[in-house]
Amino acid sequence: MRKVVTVLFCDLVGSTALGEQTDPEALRALLKRYYAGARSAIERRGGLVEKFVGDAVMAVFGLPVARENDAVEAVLAAVELHEVVGRLNLRVRIGVNTGQVVAGAGDTLVTGDTVNTAARLEQAAAAGSTLLGEITQHLAADVVTTEPVEVAAKGKRDPVRAHLVTGLRPESGSPAHLPLVGRLAERAVLRDVYDDVLATSRCRLITVVGAPGIGKSRLVGQLVEEIADEAQVVSGRAVAYGEGMTYGPLVEILQQLDTPYEQVIQRSAADTIAACQVVLERAATERPLVVILDDLQWVEPAFLRLVTAISLRARAAPILMLCLARPELDTRHGTWADDVPGAVRLDLDALSPVDAGEVLRQALNGDAADEVLGPILRAADGNPLYLVQMAQHAVRTGSASIPPTIEALLNARLDSLADEARFALEAAAVEGEVFHLGSVSTLVERSSAEVEALLSDLARLQFVRPDRAQIPGESGYRFCHLLMRDAAYESLTKAARAGLHESHADWLVMTDGVLERDELAGHHLEVAAGLLRDLDPADANAAVLADRAGRHLADAGIRAAERDDNRAATNLLHRARALLIDPAARRGLIRYLFIAGYATEYNVPSIAPLLPELLDGTPVDRAMAGIFGVEEVESGLDEVEASAALLRESDDPLAIAMCRHARGMVLWPMGRTEESVSEVMAAFQDLRRAGIRLFATDIAYDLLDQAGVTMSAQERQRLIDELRSAGNDFGQVFDATVDSQEAQSRYLSGEIGAEEFSSLVGREEEACAQAGREIDQATAREVRTVLRPWVERDLRATEQGACQNLELERKTSIPEWRVDVLEASWALALCDVGSYSLALEASSQGEDRNPGRWNLVAAWACAGVGDAEGARTALALLRPHPWRPVMPRFDHRYTTGRALALLGDVPGARAALSDYIDYYTALGYHRIADRARADLAALESS
């Protein structure tokens, strides 16, 4: 097992000269007295003499049972050793070091860098002195004074930081009693927010942030006790190994609300949010609902979107969303709740000395002497968890020696257990903070009744406690503290951990009712493989376990993509590819990585390095490489056509549909609109007939988005009706997108008003945000905040909307092509308000990007500043092009008319604007035509 121990090396100084000067018989008697004195000093302090080698001694403190003060006792033993050998007129040099080692059950032999470093410290020490390692010095700081030194140790690349013992500290008197409890201000904040929920019957969000053990749960528990009679409280906890496991906390909450998770967790994130909102609001109609979400720092972004969405949307129900998180929340997710009105963040610091003292007295219940209190308070440093754990150990053992760090306490508590109980605890730690009886029984190979008895004993000793099972039909438990779980896990050797992780994965696979089974099994097999490779990179079993992990993670990743959880899908699929052995299996995941990336970014640069791998594969793989590698329109069509030829004979409907979609996307900007729509629609129908949901939503979205307003209103409505009839099982994102696109057509054709249009587009924007479709969300926002005011001739609002959209997206990982679209949109808005110089400056910066868009800007802006030559040069380069997404603003006819008007060419401007009006009138988009008629009327009257 792995243990934290303190190793002491002691070597006699000048032994060679002593042998030359002393009679062998006398020398033997002297050394016997030296050995006996050394053994006595070490063993009296609880150490174990591991071996005598010549005149050197090696001792270990912490075997077979660790104590909380092993390091202190080792240092005191070193001080006594100097006194013992001094009485023999001898001198020794000593090195003492603390750290993790590996020890076999019942063995005294320990191995690891901790041992080597202790030996190097002893070799570097001067005669009659002791050198301590960093950790040892920290642990023994209360009993000895030291000076820092650096040791150039043999075999070490960098100098070792050490501490020379200079003396014993004088014994201090009893530390002052420091009374307790507090958190009054924090409790008031929680209560105020809860009272506001009652008063307003609306949802509020509060996040309590603090280090492990600082008292987050205790603070929240106080509120729960106060409101127990009037509110319903439910809770869920995230796990540290949860990448790709999105809805674990929600499942716990649904169990408490007697709601099957299958009714709420849907294939799309948006549908899940909507269903969850219904369940929570229904529960809150009976009495106020408090939802506690613990360890929020570990959750996936999709779960954070669920929390914020509920907080934003459940505005007519008394719900308190009470989140607990470590400070890592900020590192992993940033200021995630800033956009939630009324959201509160409460940061917990360490307890004051007064409050910490009161916690300690309550935990000890008066069963400790004053000399016990001070060391505990110093070691705990205001952390309530440390205070309670250390107090319980003192009460149970009666020990007056308090460990200066919580790590020493936890290892001491572990070593106080019987072997069977300890192994059960270690096996439980492999599953995590929350674990199940069935898993532990399998891992320790004992009956459920035997393991249940062991867990009952551990619960009595406050190592674990019964908890809600997360698997139907199982008995659930939870470690009383996460730090105890970590200590139990770290005590296992890597080989033992690997075997237990593998066995737990096998249990998960064979157990019914496990949510996200593949994610969990894949995680545990992945960890097992990594541990074995740490021990032996060529371990054959590690490769087998890695491949098994990869297959589970691949299945989980594909399912995540199907439910629009594309961030989790990308994480799971990349991990799977790194683990799979079979090249064909790895290649098969590339298309799903493309789909997940396409849904969130519309460009997947991470695929480019994988294309050579596809080119080495099957004809279908090579065809997919041709699709994914398309960058330029003209050459892209050739590549897609070549891929289509390879795929005609295949029976891979997803590959064929992706090829058709790619061909349609290439044909569109070439002006071959009808072919493009037909090809993309065929891809959509192919997937629908094959029963494949994956990518079908993205294809349909592109079909509507690309259609823009270049189709007539009637043609576009027919397309929308066809998609709506075919896509009734594709979820809320799909439905909101279809409704929004229909609203655009009907608004631009004059059938509905601006408010209804904005509402429907806003629903699409919200649905895309919840699903993590950032580009689609931004596109909807552009339509709502730029297209609408432009149509209504609110030019200042148009410019402000375009500028704000650009600023918002620059704060994200926005792709370059999207920057180009937004900057061009803003530049055209600047022209509309007469800020030609600014627009021209933006045009000069964008000239190396899409020339079509920036020629529009250059023509208008040059005309505005009086550069007739520049304007006409740009006008000569304009070509008809079906721009997306707000196409009326990017139409070459409109820009031509506005530029020529500024140049004084009234007939030319009239002709261009009239052509623009006739074009959109024929399509049935009368609001666009009317917008241009107003410009034409202004031109005629000037």
Side-chain angles (χ1 to χ4, degrees):
M1 67 177 63
R2 288 176 175 262
K3 293 179 67 69
V4 175
V5 302
T6 299
V7 179
L8 180 151
F9 271 91
C10 173
D11 191 18
L12 198 59
V13 177
S15 58
T16 301
L18 183 65
E20 292 176 348
Q21 301 166 6
T22 309
D23 180 83
E25 190 172 340
L27 178 62
R28 178 179 177 83
L30 180 63
L31 289 178
K32 284 183 68 175
R33 292 168 63 193
Y34 160 62
Y35 293 146
R39 183 183 294 276
S40 175
I42 290 168
E43 292 182 350
R44 197 157 51 83
R45 291 288 181 181
L48 182 68
V49 176
E50 203 270 344
K51 60 185 175 182
F52 288 105
V53 180
D55 52 16
V57 181
M58 174 185 170
V60 181
F61 292 75
L63 282 180
V65 176
R67 298 182 304 167
E68 68 275 13
N69 58 343
D70 281 325
V72 172
E73 295 295 338
V75 173
L76 293 175
V79 172
E80 188 171 339
L81 271 169
H82 285 295
E83 295 174 354
V84 168
V85 299
R87 289 194 291 268
L88 298 173
N89 293 318
L90 300 174
R91 291 195 300 172
V92 291
R93 58 190 181 207
I94 299 175
V96 187
N97 192 43
T98 304
Q100 194 173 78
V101 298
V102 174
D107 285 351
T108 61
L109 176 66
V110 294
T111 58
D113 185 61
T114 297
V115 179
N116 298 333
T117 300
R120 297 294 181 261
L121 291 174
E122 174 265 306
Q123 293 164 7
S129 68
T130 298
L131 289 180
L132 308 181
E134 283 271 273
I135 297 176
T136 310
Q137 186 276 333
H138 176 71
L139 293 170
D142 289 339
V143 297
V144 290
T145 58
T146 59
E147 292 179 358
V149 296
E150 284 195 347
V151 173
K154 180 180 178 182
K156 296 283 188 179
R157 184 183 62 183
D158 299 319
V160 175
R161 297 181 64 185
H163 299 265
L164 174 67
V165 175
T166 58
L168 284 172
R169 290 189 184 277
E171 297 213 6
S172 60
S174 298
H177 287 280
L178 300 174
L180 157 79
V181 147
R183 300 287 193 208
L184 297 178
E186 295 89 343
R187 290 167 58 183
V189 171
L190 284 181
R191 186 69 201 212
D192 287 346
V193 174
Y194 173 74
D195 289 343
D196 182 67
V197 168
L198 297 185
T200 62
S201 289
R202 65 190 181 106
C203 182
R204 289 288 303 274
L205 173 64
I206 184 167
T207 307
V208 182
V209 181
I214 204 66
K216 302 184 293 294
S217 298
R218 189 169 180 176
L219 175 68
V220 170
Q222 179 66 38
L223 175 67
V224 170
E225 289 178 13
E226 295 172 2
I227 64 175
D229 293 335
E230 62 187 83
Q232 181 179 9
V233 180
V234 295
S235 63
R237 181 185 295 267
V239 293
Y241 50 79
E243 288 189 337
M245 297 164 47
T246 305
Y247 295 116
L250 178 57
V251 172
E252 290 188 64
I253 290 167
L254 295 174
Q255 288 176 337
Q256 296 159 66
L257 294 174
D258 296 325
T259 302
Y261 66 76
E262 297 91 344
Q263 294 182 9
V264 176
I265 299 177
Q266 306 295 318
R267 289 184 298 182
S268 78
D271 290 342
T272 298
I273 290 170
C276 181
Q277 180 184 351
V278 170
V279 170
L280 296 183
E281 288 180 337
R282 184 170 60 234
T285 59
E286 302 172 3
R287 52 182 176 152
L289 179 66
V290 177
V291 180
I292 300 173
L293 298 170
D294 207 351
D295 278 336
L296 203 70
Q297 72 275 357
W298 302 128
V299 300
E300 291 287 335
F303 190 83
L304 288 181
R305 288 194 291 272
L306 181 144
V307 176
T308 54
I310 296 296
S311 303
L312 286 166
R313 295 166 58 178
R315 309 308 284 177
I319 301 173
L320 176 60
M321 303 291 284
L322 214 172
C323 303
L324 285 71
R326 297 182 185 181
E328 292 88 337
L329 176 72
D330 296 336
T331 304
R332 290 169 58 88
H333 298 296
T335 52
W336 67 281
D338 278 359
D339 58 345
V340 178
V344 174
R345 175 182 171 120
L346 188 58
D347 289 283
L348 292 191
D349 296 322
L351 291 174
S352 69
V354 173
D355 291 342
E358 182 61 22
V359 169
L360 187 55
R361 282 196 193 84
Q362 290 187 0
L364 291 171
N365 197 27
D367 288 336
D370 287 349
E371 59 266 22
V372 174
L373 299 178
I376 291 179
L377 286 171
R378 286 195 295 271
D381 194 26
N383 186 301
L385 169 64
Y386 294 1
L387 288 163
V388 172
Q389 284 278 356
M390 295 170 78
Q392 289 171 349
H393 182 74
V395 169
R396 186 170 64 253
T397 66
S399 171
S401 301
I402 306 300
T405 67
I406 196 67
E407 182 181 24
L409 167 64
L410 296 175
N411 281 285
R413 294 199 69 204
L414 284 173
D415 276 356
S416 71
L417 296 173
D419 289 345
E420 290 181 344
R422 176 166 184 156
F423 186 37
L425 197 69
E426 291 167 342
V430 168
E431 182 173 0
E433 185 181 5
V434 176
F435 58 94
H436 296 87
L437 175 63
S439 172
V440 179
S441 300
T442 299
L443 268 56
V444 301
E445 299 180 346
R446 302 284 294 274
S447 70
S448 294
E450 291 173 308
V451 173
E452 191 168 23
L454 289 173
L455 294 176
S456 295
D457 289 340
L458 289 168
R460 181 175 55 81
L461 294 172
Q462 299 186 25
F463 282 88
V464 302
R465 66 172 185 266
D467 206 323
R468 292 183 303 274
Q470 297 178 356
I471 299 174
E474 272 291 330
S475 297
Y477 294 84
R478 183 187 294 273
F479 280 87
C480 289
H481 301 293
L482 181 58
L483 291 177
M484 180 56 73
R485 179 265 166 190
D486 293 345
Y489 183 79
E490 290 296 327
S491 71
L492 291 163
T493 64
K494 288 188 175 182
R497 287 182 217 168
L500 292 171
H501 277 291
E502 180 183 3
S503 297
H504 180 64
D506 292 338
W507 178 79
L508 287 168
V509 171
M510 298 300 295
T511 302
D512 294 331
V514 179
L515 179 69
E516 297 178 326
R517 181 198 316 270
D518 284 314
E519 290 92 326
L520 286 168
H523 160 76
H524 285 282
L525 291 169
E526 182 182 26
V527 171
L531 290 166
L532 292 180
R533 282 176 172 155
D534 285 347
L535 300 173
D536 179 5
D539 190 308
N541 191 38
V544 173
L545 293 178
D547 190 68
R548 286 182 59 198
R551 294 182 185 280
H552 282 292
L553 294 174
D555 290 343
I558 293 170
R559 283 199 304 275
E562 286 176 340
R563 66 172 185 261
D564 282 331
D565 196 353
N566 295 294
R567 299 295 185 194
T570 300
N571 170 274
L572 291 164
L573 293 169
H574 275 301
R575 288 165 59 196
R577 277 183 43 77
L579 296 165
L580 289 168
I581 295 175
D582 182 15
R586 289 200 304 270
R587 289 195 300 269
L589 296 184
I590 296 176
R591 69 179 66 181
Y592 300 108
L593 281 167
F594 177 88
I595 290 169
Y598 190 86
T600 54
E601 298 176 2
Y602 278 167
N603 66 334
V604 280
S606 61
I607 297 298
L610 307 180
L611 297 184
E613 190 175 340
L614 286 177
L615 293 172
D616 290 338
T618 66
V620 171
D621 292 330
R622 293 194 293 275
M624 300 306 291
I627 294 169
F628 299 149
V630 171
E631 294 183 1
E632 302 297 331
V633 171
E634 291 76 7
S635 62
L637 184 58
D638 293 339
E639 291 176 15
V640 172
E641 298 291 13
S643 296
L646 287 169
L647 288 170
R648 284 192 188 103
E649 304 302 322
S650 79
D651 57 353
D652 189 334
L654 178 58
I656 294 172
M658 292 180 76
C659 185
R660 281 185 153 173
H661 168 260
R663 185 172 186 272
M665 298 297 284
V666 171
L667 288 170
W668 185 271
M670 296 176 67
R672 295 163 64 174
T673 307
E674 291 186 6
E675 288 181 81
S676 172
V677 172
S678 175
E679 196 76 337
V680 177
M681 176 58 80
F684 178 80
Q685 298 289 10
D686 284 348
L687 290 181
R688 189 172 66 88
R689 283 191 293 270
I692 299 174
R693 181 184 180 277
L694 192 68
F695 204 45
T697 298
D698 297 293
I699 289 177
Y701 190 98
D702 280 337
L703 186 63
L704 292 169
D705 195 31
Q706 291 287 59
V709 292
T710 55
M711 281 186 175
S712 72
Q714 289 183 339
E715 291 172 327
R716 207 154 176 278
Q717 189 60 53
R718 284 195 295 269
L719 176 62
I720 289 169
D721 291 342
E722 186 174 357
L723 287 173
R724 183 175 279 124
S725 64
N728 56 8
D729 62 342
F730 288 144
Q732 186 174 338
V733 174
F734 179 88
D735 292 340
T737 299
V738 173
D739 291 343
S740 172
Q741 294 288 337
E742 181 179 36
Q744 283 188 56
S745 295
R746 297 184 64 200
Y747 170 68
L748 294 176
S749 62
E751 296 179 37
I752 63 173
E755 293 304 320
E756 183 178 355
F757 162 67
S758 291
S759 174
L760 290 168
V761 175
R763 279 184 49 209
E764 179 195 13
E765 188 179 342
E766 180 182 359
C768 290
Q770 293 165 5
R773 303 175 72 103
E774 295 173 356
I775 299 297
D776 296 339
Q777 174 194 359
T779 299
R781 184 171 60 238
E782 178 93 352
V783 168
R784 180 176 56 82
T785 63
V786 178
L787 177 61
R788 173 188 164 177
W790 182 81
V791 169
E792 296 172 0
R793 295 184 60 80
D794 187 346
L795 303 184
R796 183 54 61 187
T798 303
E799 187 273 328
Q800 290 175 349
C803 182
Q804 289 170 3
N805 288 336
L806 179 59
E807 290 176 352
L808 282 173
E809 293 203 45
R810 277 177 170 162
K811 297 177 182 178
T812 67
S813 54
I814 179 173
E816 186 175 343
W817 70 264
R818 181 68 185 165
V819 174
D820 190 67
V821 172
L822 290 174
E823 288 186 343
S825 175
W826 179 51
L828 287 177
L830 288 171
C831 290
D832 243 326
V833 297
S835 298
Y836 302 116
S837 296
L838 282 176
L840 195 59
E841 182 179 345
S843 174
S844 64
Q845 295 172 355
E847 61 187 7
D848 293 332
R849 289 175 288 191
N850 187 290
R853 276 187 288 269
W854 289 105
N855 283 331
L856 292 171
V857 176
W860 196 345
C862 285
V865 298
D867 181 3
E869 182 179 353
R872 294 198 179 277
T873 299
L875 287 169
L877 297 173
L878 296 185
R879 296 288 184 273
H881 203 90
W883 295 111
R884 54 177 282 201
V886 283
M887 298 172 192
R889 301 177 62 238
F890 285 102
D891 193 294
H892 70 289
R893 288 166 290 226
Y894 183 77
T895 298
T896 298
R898 297 300 301 271
L900 290 177
L902 290 170
L903 293 174
D905 185 355
V906 175
R910 183 187 299 115
L913 290 174
S914 297
D915 189 18
Y916 180 87
I917 292 166
D918 292 344
Y919 175 76
Y920 285 99
T921 299
L923 290 175
Y925 297 115
H926 303 296
R927 273 201 170 95
I928 299 175
D930 290 343
R931 168 71 166 77
R933 285 191 184 95
D935 291 316
L936 183 58
L939 173 66
E940 298 288 6
S941 63
S942 62

